[in-house]
Amino acid sequence: MRKLMAAVAATTGLVLMLVTGAPAIANGGSGPLDGLDYVSLGDSYQAGYGLNPFSNTSPFAGDPNGCYQADGNYPHILAAYFGLTINDQTCSGAITANIGYGSATVSPTDPNVILPTLPDVSTLQVTLSGMTAPQLQSAGLSADTDVVTVGIGGNDLGFSSIATACMRLSVDSDPLYLADKVGAFDNCKDYFDDPVNYPSAYLFGRITDSVAPRLATTFAAIRAVAPNAQVFVVGYPQVAPNNATDACFTDPLTANSVPYNGVDLQFLHDIEQQLDDTIEAAATAANFTFIPTWDQTAGNTLCTPDPWINGITLYLNSGSTCDPDYLPADGNTDICVKIGALHPDEGGVLEIANIVQESIGGWAATRGITASASDVTQGGQVVLSGGGFGPNETVQIELHSTPVVLASIPASATGTFSTTLTIPTGTVPGSHTLVARGLSSDREFSTPITVTASGSSSGGGASVLAEGGMDASALQLVGLIALLGTTLLAGGAVLVLRRRQTGTSQSATARR
């Protein structure tokens, strides 16, 4: 984390912003991915819900637009670090339908008094302030999009509703909201983990039957609209600790409270873990890169000495509106909850940024092309490897200055390739350039190479023998000598050509 903090502080001052509220720079700058188009998608964990300042103009204008997209969220930190040009579409409260399902649809879940009913088609988001978004998040994508991060699924599960339902006044009392809406239960696990008596509330089934197919269709829609993008799916951090006990409980009317008993905290942990595993499986099936944050945040959950997750801060309200930085609980202004409850705080956001930065940085290091040799003879071979192209797109490889197409090959699902090239025998010896261009993304990378002659004559003439056989010019010379009937072959010199030792060249230039 120290490396990212130093780098971000040096380039944009975003680390200072996390403390002082100074505005962020999010339009790209100097960095290893300078100028590439970056679109961030997802929900409140990506938007930085709870951090200040937040924008009323992104992803769309409105005061307040209800997305609570923070200037210091991890997508903005990454954009500044890598020099990316960011289009941040993240919005608190988003579900997969708000990103977009494409042409595919999935069946809605059964209505439930606690969990939200999910739409079976793409749906414009109604934000936490009641404003309707003007477009789907996927409208920010295009064939020119280079990098995408997406984090989604928690609101499809209904995590906020679940967390509200499980709150209690004391460690021994019934969950209050659940008792009001459904009935008295010792633990909310008794309701959400009972497929026989409460099938529509059964969370493990909801993940399998409803969330998983929506993730799959949403990821397919992202790929369809952004065919050349490298897509990174970011998993959720741990919120509730493993092996929780009742000792973690704190009164809900205290600041940063944890109003859950040990049974329900453990249940919340287990449910979130299954959700995270499901997101990973969907990302892998879509050939996207999954970035886990689960293990890295295990030591900083609720109830730990140094939590990266905000607890719940609320107050009982007698007015018609909540104080600034607070929202009505379940739309009821009788109880106002501080924005950012059960979400990463500044330290948690910076840690997630660090984790995602490492993954994107690894991909960035593969961009460009590398030849296995800096020198190659006429007719010789060289291995060319590269990365940074669109998934599965055709890469055309040329030898310049006068372009000669050497190969057209498909890139892998991660935009990489490796192939053996043969240098044409008629190539003029000297300095040349190998150029690889993606025919769909138009990304282009190059590396220099020196072509050496395959042989030369000396003295009165020679039979030209090349390692591995004679090339065309040598064969022509032998034929000419035979035709003239000379005795040069019998008494002349013999010139043996040897291939030069090869080295490794590095990628020299790159063009998006």
Side-chain angles (χ1 to χ4, degrees), residues 41 66 90 96 108 188 215 280 303 313 315 501:
L41 307 171
T90 59
T96 52
C188 71
L215 288 169
E280 179 177 10
C303 311
T313 300
Y315 70 92
Q501 297 297 319

Side-chain angles (χ1 to χ4, degrees), residues 161-373:
S161 300
I162 299 162
T164 300
C166 294
M167 291 175 59
R168 59 184 73 213
L169 283 176
S170 70
V171 73
D172 296 321
S173 67
D174 296 334
L176 288 177
Y177 187 83
L178 185 59
D180 180 61
K181 295 294 183 179
V182 181
F185 292 86
D186 290 338
N187 304 291
C188 71
K189 181 180 185 299
D190 299 335
Y191 175 67
F192 288 117
D193 196 25
D194 187 345
V196 175
N197 294 310
Y198 308 103
S200 65
Y202 179 52
L203 295 183
F204 291 107
R206 183 178 174 96
I207 291 174
T208 301
D209 300 336
S210 187
V211 179
R214 283 174 167 80
L215 288 169
T217 54
T218 297
F219 291 168
I222 291 172
R223 174 53 71 219
V225 183
N228 301 310
Q230 184 68 22
V231 182
F232 299 89
V233 179
V234 182
Y236 289 103
Q238 288 195 41
V239 175
N242 195 17
N243 300 317
T245 68
D246 288 350
C248 187
F249 176 87
T250 53
D251 189 295
L253 294 180
T254 60
N256 280 315
S257 68
V258 183
Y260 307 104
N261 68 2
V263 172
D264 285 345
L265 277 173
Q266 186 63 51
F267 179 64
L268 293 174
H269 173 277
D270 295 344
I271 282 294
E272 189 192 5
Q273 185 169 31
Q274 181 176 334
L275 173 64
D276 205 61
D277 291 344
T278 300
I279 296 169
E280 179 177 10
T284 301
N287 286 321
F288 293 168
T289 299
F290 180 73
I291 303 178
T293 65
W294 185 262
D295 290 342
Q296 299 94 320
T297 55
N300 302 89
T301 66
L302 297 173
C303 311
T304 60
D306 182 24
W308 286 334
I309 300 293
N310 293 311
I312 298 173
T313 300
L314 56 81
Y315 70 92
L316 301 179
N317 184 40
S318 58
S320 58
T321 60
C322 293
D323 293 342
D325 293 332
Y326 284 78
L327 291 175
D330 194 39
N332 183 358
T333 57
D334 290 344
I335 302 176
C336 298
V337 181
K338 189 173 183 179
I339 295 172
L342 302 184
H343 282 70
D345 60 13
E346 290 90 343
V349 168
L350 195 57
E351 175 60 20
I352 293 171
N354 184 65
I355 295 168
V356 179
Q357 176 268 325
E358 290 182 2
S359 183
I360 295 180
W363 169 76
T366 70
R367 287 173 51 82
I369 59 174
T370 303
S372 62

